[in-house]
Amino acid sequence: MALIVQKFGGSSVSDAEKIKHVAARILQTQAQGNDVCVVVSAMGDTTDDLVDLADSVSSKRDSREMDMLLTAGERISMSVLAMAIQEQGGKAKSFTGYQAGISTDSDHGSARIWKIEPVRIREALKAGEVAIVAGFQGFSFETGDVTTLGRGGSDTTAVALASALNADVCEIYSDVDGVYTADPRIVPRARKLAQIDIESMLELSSSGAKILYIRAVEFARRHGVPLRVRSTFSADSGTLVYTTKPGDEMEEPVVSGVTTDDTQSKITIIGLPDIPGKAAEVFQIVAEAGVNIDMIVQNSSSQDTQLSDISITLPHSERPKVVEALRSKQAEVGFEGVSYDDEIGKLSIVGAGMKTSSGVSAKLFGALARAGINIEMISTSEIRVSVITRASQLKDATRAVHTAFELDAADTAIIYAGTGR
Ligand code: ASP
Ligand code: MG
């Protein structure tokens, strides 16, 4: 007998029919002899609709009230799902984040989980009930207020509960049947992966794959929670994201997947004196703006001017703030100017086998060259290589690279319509 945590995303519970389908699926899992704890997201686009509603009465989005409002979405789906299960002859009880024992800090809108004491969840499971927990919400004992973990936070709730309950597996259900080698909307010959190591999954999530939220993957890695990504609407076994290798004989693939990110901008600080301390001054300004940057590239300085350029990439939405902050300190730091470019795209290849395989970069750059695509910046980690290209060339680049690393499926059988949420 196993304990399984199942998380159903908004697209899986978007109307009454789908909720009944999910209820049946949960009861099936239970009938196979498992204890089942379920985490649900709000129905369909409910959370976005609630944000729009707030915007229509206020220009401020007061963070405490936003959390009170948004947590209502999950209360609807959890209670309706419990009733649907009861209607089908099962036993179920729903719980808010607070009732499930999820305590967080008081950072409204992006609270961090401090502790989970799922006393009532254990009681419910012991009584043979399906325990249904509202995703993405917690409670701050510091302030006595309801909090949210940030958009998409239900994945984190599920992983954290799986860890606290010592569950055998945490299954993440959406309308997509697993983790793919690339976004099938861009690469029609993308393949579903049967399994992937969690380090690679973390790199995929952080470089643009939307199937799992990065905070949830980080949590799963830290606490050794095995994940399975599955579709609510098929019997496919999905993709296993493992924390310990299922068999030693298995070799890690050199490249597991190709991801894209078109949400970044590039900023270049031009003509920075090439003397100790100047880079530190520049990044102090960026840090004070409270912005996380992704890539950094410094050109070597020219012989006669002793000036160099530094380029950084960061989310589009943060670009105006950082450009403004840099320009306001230009005279003080002594660089010549700041330019920016919003039309960039980032492509990354990820794979645990890269560590032991040489020539991966050569193959990547060769594929891009043959496709006539210019590389503007490069960054690497142990198991990832990322390049910046023109945004307009990103899709062509992705297809070329996917083919070069022999990731293409034999045919384009997959009809991809889902959102993965
Ligand atoms: N309902 C929340 C959102 O849409 C949380 C989630 O879906 O995971 O962001
Ligand atoms: Mg949602």
Side-chain angles (χ1 to χ4, degrees):
M1 171 143 163
L3 198 169
I4 301 179
V5 173
Q6 298 188 322
K7 179 255 169 176
F8 292 92
S11 63
S12 298
V13 292
S14 56
D15 59 35
E17 283 316 307
K18 287 185 180 153
I19 289 177
K20 289 186 207 168
H21 171 78
V22 165
R25 201 163 172 147
I26 292 165
L27 285 176
Q28 231 173 46
T29 308
Q30 199 190 37
Q32 285 157 4
N34 303 298
D35 280 339
V36 190
C37 171
V38 171
V39 174
V40 273
S41 291
M43 295 171 65
D45 296 328
T46 301
T47 310
D48 290 314
D49 295 343
L50 292 173
V51 171
D52 290 346
L53 176 62
D55 286 348
S56 68
V57 298
S58 159
S59 55
K60 277 207 284 292
R61 292 196 184 176
D62 178 85
S63 62
R64 179 186 183 276
E65 300 310 326
M66 284 305 286
D67 279 0
M68 286 299 253
L69 175 66
L70 299 189
T71 48
E74 272 71 13
R75 276 182 84 137
I76 295 171
S77 47
M78 71 177 193
S79 48
V80 175
L81 178 60
M83 289 188 266
I85 290 176
Q86 290 166 6
E87 184 67 20
Q88 292 178 25
K91 292 199 285 180
K93 204 177 265 168
S94 65
F95 300 92
T96 63
Y98 172 76
Q99 291 172 315
I102 301 174
S103 65
T104 69
D105 63 17
S106 53
D107 188 7
H108 287 292
S110 57
R112 297 242 150 210
I113 294 175
W114 269 352
K115 199 158 78 182
I116 302 194
E117 289 173 303
V119 179
R120 297 200 57 189
I121 306 304
R122 282 202 195 94
E123 276 170 15
L125 294 176
K126 208 165 165 196
E129 293 164 344
V130 175
I132 305 173
V133 179
F136 138 89
Q137 56 178 263
F139 185 83
S140 164
F141 282 91
E142 207 175 59
T143 58
D145 281 327
V146 171
T147 55
T148 64
L149 310 179
R151 295 303 307 271
S154 299
D155 287 359
T156 312
T157 303
V159 173
L161 265 172
S163 166
L165 292 168
N166 205 4
D168 296 279
V169 63
C170 179
E171 299 183 334
I172 307 282
Y173 286 88
S174 72
D175 54 3
V176 177
D177 59 9
V179 180
Y180 276 76
T181 52
D183 183 341
R185 283 168 295 195
I186 299 175
V187 183
R189 284 177 188 274
R191 269 190 294 122
K192 197 202 75 181
L193 297 165
Q195 53 189 23
I196 185 169
D197 62 288
I198 198 148
E199 304 288 339
S200 296
M201 192 63 235
L202 199 59
E203 291 276 11
L204 287 179
S205 288
S206 69
S207 61
K210 293 180 186 70
I211 187 83
L212 286 175
Y213 270 81
I214 181 143
R215 274 181 66 184
V217 183
E218 270 170 356
F219 202 104
R221 180 181 58 162
R222 216 165 337 112
H223 298 272
V225 179
L227 304 175
R228 192 174 278 280
V229 181
R230 301 184 67 175
S231 165
T232 306
F233 309 109
S234 85
D236 196 285
S237 60
T239 303
L240 172 70
V241 184
Y242 58 86
T243 51
T244 41
K245 227 194 307 191
D248 270 347
E249 71 289 353
M250 197 185 82
E251 253 193 80
E252 310 275 18
V254 175
V255 172
S256 293
V258 187
T259 56
T260 57
D261 182 355
D262 59 4
T263 65
Q264 297 211 344
S265 294
K266 176 168 84 173
I267 296 177
T268 303
I269 298 101
I270 305 160
L272 185 71
D274 192 12
I275 52 173
K278 285 296 164 189
E281 284 178 45
V282 164
F283 285 95
Q284 186 59 33
I285 298 167
V286 177
E288 275 163 17
V291 172
N292 283 329
I293 54 176
D294 184 23
M295 290 193 196
I296 304 172
V297 168
Q298 177 174 230
N299 296 337
S300 53
S301 59
S302 97
Q303 279 283 310
D304 28 272
T305 63
Q306 293 297 309
L307 297 174
S308 71
D309 299 340
I310 292 181
S311 294
I312 59 177
T313 64
L314 73 184
H316 272 320
S317 53
E318 311 277 20
R319 192 266 299 154
K321 184 163 77 176
V322 174
V323 168
E324 199 184 310
L326 285 164
R327 286 193 173 143
S328 73
K329 298 272 173 70
Q330 180 172 340
E332 196 179 310
V333 182
F335 50 84
E336 291 181 333
V338 177
S339 68
Y340 63 83
D341 181 351
D342 290 338
E343 301 304 318
I344 60 165
K346 180 170 119 174
L347 175 151
S348 306
I349 55 172
V350 171
M354 235 179 245
K355 276 188 278 205
T356 51
S357 173
S358 65
V360 174
S361 300
K363 197 176 206 173
L364 170 65
F365 302 159
L368 293 170
R370 281 193 302 282
I373 289 158
N374 187 42
I375 300 168
E376 302 178 22
M377 293 168 84
I378 301 167
S379 84
T380 63
S381 83
E382 214 181 14
I383 60 169
R384 176 185 52 77
V385 184
S386 302
V387 296
I388 297 292
T389 68
R390 286 293 84 206
S392 57
Q393 293 185 308
L394 190 58
K395 289 182 178 166
D396 286 338
T398 310
R399 288 187 279 263
V401 170
H402 196 267
T403 302
F405 282 96
E406 294 167 35
L407 295 171
D408 290 353
D411 50 29
T412 62
I414 313 140
I415 314 291
Y416 186 91
T419 60
R421 304 305 320 152

